[in-house]
Amino acid sequence: MTGPARRRAAWPVPRHPTAEMAFSGNTNARWEARMELRLPRPDESLTVILKLAGAACNINCYYCYEKRKPYPDENWLSPETLGKFLRTAGTRPLRIVLHGGEPLLIGTARMRPLLELMRSYPGPLEMTMQTNGMLLTDAWVDLFDEYFPDIDIGVSIDGPRSANAYRVDYRDLPTFDRMLRGVELLHRRGKTIAVCVTVTKLVLDRAAETMAMIAELPHVRAVRLSPCLDYNVTTIKFPKGNAQSLSLLNGSGQGAAGWATTPHEYARFVADCFDVWHERHFRQFLVEPLFSMLLHFSGADVTLTDWSLTKEPFIVALYPDGTIGASEEISTPDARIGHVDTVRDLDEIVAMQRNPVLREAMESLLDSCTGCSHARVCAGGSLADRLRLVGTDWDHEYCESRRWLIDYVRNRCEHFGVPLRPAVGAG
């Protein structure tokens, strides 16, 4: 799988200008108003996850959520299917994420007509990609330079070499060196990148090592520390080369998967990263979710889904068979909201009119945030994660860990003193 399992697509790289950041009031003031699920207006931008190769991937990460989805008609995303979808979008602003599986498996010949279609889209369109980096070549970079030279590229790197041990091929062999070759190619071609770190048990207590490893890559301008809170998840496929490892880590599909961290463990790791980042790397690259918290503390707008009110309804996923899902992190068919053959306008489905059960479940989660002392900053968290954790041992721990992390970062900022400046590379 190209991206980690939670908020794992290429995220918007923050472009906040270098400026003084000062705290605005009591960011933990109790939010008495009812927190409601915000739905996209016709003129608002949507993030569109293109599942170019379905779940197909050249590697077999143990924690891959795409491998846990049913794909009855797995295939390549065709120009016909993409064209139908783009017509339903009209001229609405779109942020496209080339995703998979591994998006580059589609090959340059199949990719070219898709890029042609997207370049001719009549509305504003931003292009991003999430990849494991192993299939990158000069030919790929040339193709992107031809159509979308400003493409934002995210590469999945789970920290130091040994922390990437869950990112293996179908022979259960490591993929770290092959990934690094792709990262180095992008540097040689003058491309800046974002790094997506899936926080598994292997990287806990290694915050300083993780930040130092990323700092050695001079073209990284943003890092996303992505939680891997896999609880009661069912591994569907056990390829021969990976079967023993997968069976040991998640054979029963009950409770915490062997690679997962608890919510508190994830929060502690992010807090440790904050201390190292502030001390040594603050001006070299941004780190999420830390940057979003700093924006909250300074009264600025936040767009990261997990930390803003722009949540899962603003994300749609397009699958090769034409299925349109509400978010790629909610397993189909639970997230299904439409199909390109039956939708004339995205406004018919983005409010989840055809999936009221999912909408009501999300509304219920946000309603439970009413009165929370940390709601203004937490903003309800990741609804995809929370839907999966309802009724489990981690349900309440999820919220407790976010409150603890918010307090930790705010208190450390106050200890360091204000004003604070975001990384220079954010502008």
Side-chain angles (χ1 to χ4, degrees):
M1 173 65 192
T2 67
R6 233 59 66 215
R7 208 63 31 209
R8 311 271 159 103
W11 66 99
V13 176
R15 301 182 185 277
H16 195 276
T18 301
E20 300 288 339
M21 297 182 71
F23 298 124
S24 57
N26 181 8
T27 55
N28 278 358
R30 188 173 297 276
W31 195 333
E32 299 295 349
R34 181 171 179 264
M35 187 180 289
E36 297 182 349
L37 185 67
R38 205 163 84 73
L39 300 172
R41 298 190 305 269
D43 60 338
E44 287 190 287
S45 177
L46 296 178
T47 293
V48 180
I49 313 293
L50 297 184
K51 298 295 183 180
L52 298 180
C57 192
N58 56 320
I59 62 177
N60 193 37
C61 302
Y62 300 154
Y63 53 68
C64 177
Y65 64 88
E66 286 298 332
K67 300 289 179 63
R68 301 197 292 259
K69 292 181 182 179
Y71 274 84
D73 299 307
E74 192 166 18
N75 207 329
W76 310 112
L77 181 65
S78 69
E80 178 185 14
T81 299
L82 177 59
K84 289 180 180 178
F85 176 85
L86 292 177
R87 285 191 288 276
T88 70
T91 60
R92 177 194 288 271
L94 299 178
R95 177 179 166 269
I96 299 290
V97 184
L98 305 178
H99 206 270
E102 170 51 48
L104 299 184
L105 270 179
I106 198 169
T108 55
R110 290 191 186 94
M111 182 73 88
R112 182 177 289 276
L114 300 179
L115 295 177
E116 288 270 11
L117 276 172
M118 288 183 281
R119 188 170 64 175
S120 63
Y121 179 69
L125 187 145
E126 176 189 357
M127 182 65 64
T128 70
M129 177 174 69
Q130 184 67 34
T131 175
N132 59 44
M134 293 169 55
L135 300 180
L136 282 165
T137 62
D138 283 302
W140 271 114
V141 178
D142 290 342
L143 183 64
F144 290 129
D145 280 348
E146 180 180 349
Y147 287 95
F148 292 96
D150 295 329
I151 184 173
D152 279 334
I153 299 176
V155 181
S156 300
I157 310 174
D158 290 353
R161 178 184 298 272
S162 59
N164 286 263
Y166 296 145
R167 301 185 60 79
V168 297
D169 63 18
Y170 287 92
R171 296 171 296 171
D172 227 32
L173 297 176
T175 61
F176 188 78
D177 288 329
R178 284 173 279 175
M179 173 277 298
L180 276 186
R181 285 195 288 270
V183 170
E184 291 165 357
L185 181 146
L186 292 172
H187 184 219
R188 174 172 58 81
R189 294 295 300 266
K191 302 295 183 183
T192 58
I193 64 171
V195 168
C196 207
V197 177
T198 305
V199 180
T200 67
K201 284 192 175 298
L202 297 180
V203 79
L204 296 179
D205 300 320
R206 303 178 70 181
E209 195 177 348
T210 299
M211 293 290 101
M213 180 265 176
I214 293 170
E216 292 176 356
L217 304 173
H219 54 317
V220 174
R221 59 189 177 100
V223 179
R224 171 77 163 109
L225 305 175
S226 205
C228 191
L229 310 178
D230 283 340
Y231 197 101
N232 290 347
V233 297
T234 302
T235 301
I236 295 177
K237 299 177 181 179
F238 291 82
K240 182 178 180 180
N242 311 112
Q244 183 176 1
S245 297
L246 285 169
S247 296
L248 288 172
L249 288 165
N250 196 42
S252 69
Q254 299 297 310
W259 53 76
T261 71
T262 69
H264 279 314
E265 286 173 333
Y266 169 75
R268 179 71 254 181
F269 177 77
V270 175
D272 291 343
C273 285
F274 176 75
D275 290 339
V276 177
W277 175 58
H278 175 270
E279 180 182 350
R280 306 174 193 173
H281 311 296
F282 194 56
R283 301 188 185 282
Q284 183 176 348
F285 50 79
L286 302 175
V287 178
E288 289 287 12
L290 297 170
F291 187 66
S292 286
M293 280 185 266
L294 295 181
L295 290 178
H296 271 299
F297 298 154
S298 65
D301 291 336
V302 177
T303 59
L304 189 66
T305 306
D306 296 6
W307 294 86
S308 77
L309 296 180
T310 304
K311 294 205 167 295
E312 278 74 1
F314 288 80
I315 304 170
V316 297
L318 177 63
Y319 295 86
D321 68 350
T323 295
I324 304 172
S327 169
E328 91 285 6
E329 296 178 26
I330 305 170
S331 181
T332 53
D334 296 345
R336 183 185 174 107
I337 59 174
H339 191 281
V340 294
D341 289 337
T342 61
V343 175
R344 293 173 300 174
D345 190 307
L346 281 182
D347 288 332
E348 299 172 12
I349 60 172
V350 291
M352 288 176 282
Q353 298 96 317
R354 303 185 187 182
N355 194 336
V357 172
L358 178 58
R359 175 174 172 171
E360 289 166 9
M362 291 182 177
E363 289 173 336
S364 177
L365 288 174
L366 288 180
D367 188 53
S368 70
C369 298
T370 301
C372 175
S373 58
H374 292 61
R376 291 187 184 277
V377 178
C378 176
S382 163
L383 298 185
D385 278 340
R386 293 181 65 190
L387 284 169
R388 191 175 56 261
L389 298 180
V390 167
T392 72
D393 294 342
W394 291 357
D395 192 350
H396 296 296
E397 183 180 334
Y398 179 85
C399 297
E400 291 171 357
S401 68
R402 287 174 70 91
R403 286 192 289 266
W404 179 88
L405 180 60
I406 291 167
D407 287 344
Y408 183 90
V409 174
R410 187 193 65 249
N411 291 337
R412 294 296 284 164
C413 285
E414 292 172 347
H415 172 75
F416 293 141
V418 292
L420 294 176
R421 292 178 181 271
V424 172

